[in-house]
Amino acid sequence: MDANLNVLIGEIRRALGDNPQQPEFIRTVHGVGYAFSGRAVHVEGQADASEALFCWVAWKTKTYSLSEGDNVIGRDPRCSVWVDAPGVSRRHARIRIDSGSRRVALEDLGSTNGTFLRRAPVREEVALVDGDEIKVGTVDLIIRLWPTDQAPETKRIRRRSG
């Protein structure tokens, strides 16, 4: 078990470019294990985790989680929302999430077949709300937005005994 931890810490250090002889992020605490040794700083303008929005796009039976910042929809497998369908451009549209301003917006990226919101063509960045229907080329998507401090309503199912 300890050997696995040593290997994992080594991989993390390599990924961070952290030197074990002069650690910047992870230090060895002899006889105990490891500790984070990086300096914590407040970054102005960044959304507090409690203010973050939980957003996703639904297409048929698939869902795609969206993250803070830009989320590109397109036929390119490297897109945040990969829609491998006819009529969808490689980089078709973008959904931008800004939790700090509580804004989720849609923008067409010069696609061949257009991007539509509520059946109207998207010509400039437009705000999205929960349940909005987005059409990229021939594909219909639904946007879902939930503040992280509010879980979607769920119903309790009571099992009957006997």
Side-chain angles (χ1 to χ4, degrees):
M1 184 74 144
D2 289 340
N4 289 340
L5 180 60
N6 293 340
V7 170
L8 288 173
I9 293 295
E11 289 176 7
I12 293 169
R13 282 180 168 153
R14 274 190 297 284
L16 295 173
D18 203 20
N19 180 344
Q21 282 74 36
Q22 296 178 329
E24 187 178 345
F25 301 108
I26 301 171
R27 64 185 171 89
T28 303
V29 181
H30 295 286
V32 177
Y34 300 92
F36 176 73
S37 60
R39 201 175 59 136
V41 295
H42 176 73
V43 179
E44 199 62 42
Q46 293 293 318
D48 185 319
S50 65
E51 298 173 0
L53 292 168
F54 180 55
C55 307
W56 69 96
V57 170
W59 174 44
K60 295 183 180 179
T61 60
K62 298 178 183 178
T63 57
Y64 297 90
S65 245
L66 303 176
S67 56
E68 186 74 19
D70 291 347
N71 298 270
V72 175
I73 302 168
R75 207 170 20 90
D76 186 331
R78 294 171 290 190
C79 289
S80 306
V81 180
W82 178 33
V83 180
D84 189 16
V88 177
S89 299
R90 288 187 185 280
R91 291 176 49 83
H92 198 104
R94 171 180 31 231
I95 296 175
R96 178 171 289 148
I97 299 173
D98 181 359
S99 293
S101 66
R102 310 293 291 165
R103 181 171 163 79
V104 179
L106 174 68
E107 178 183 9
D108 183 74
L109 296 177
S111 65
T112 305
N113 294 316
T115 301
F116 299 83
L117 174 63
R118 298 176 218 115
R119 299 184 183 177
V122 174
R123 304 211 190 283
E124 58 187 25
E125 191 174 270
V126 293
L128 295 172
V129 296
D130 182 51
D132 268 342
E133 295 178 13
I134 301 167
K135 186 171 188 122
V136 291
T138 59
V139 174
D140 294 317
L141 306 169
I142 302 290
I143 184 82
R144 301 308 316 247
L145 312 172
W146 291 97
T148 54
D149 59 348
Q150 289 181 359
E153 285 185 32
T154 56
K155 292 184 180 178
R156 267 207 164 133
I157 298 173
R158 211 183 229 176
R159 290 187 175 200
R160 292 185 176 178
S161 58

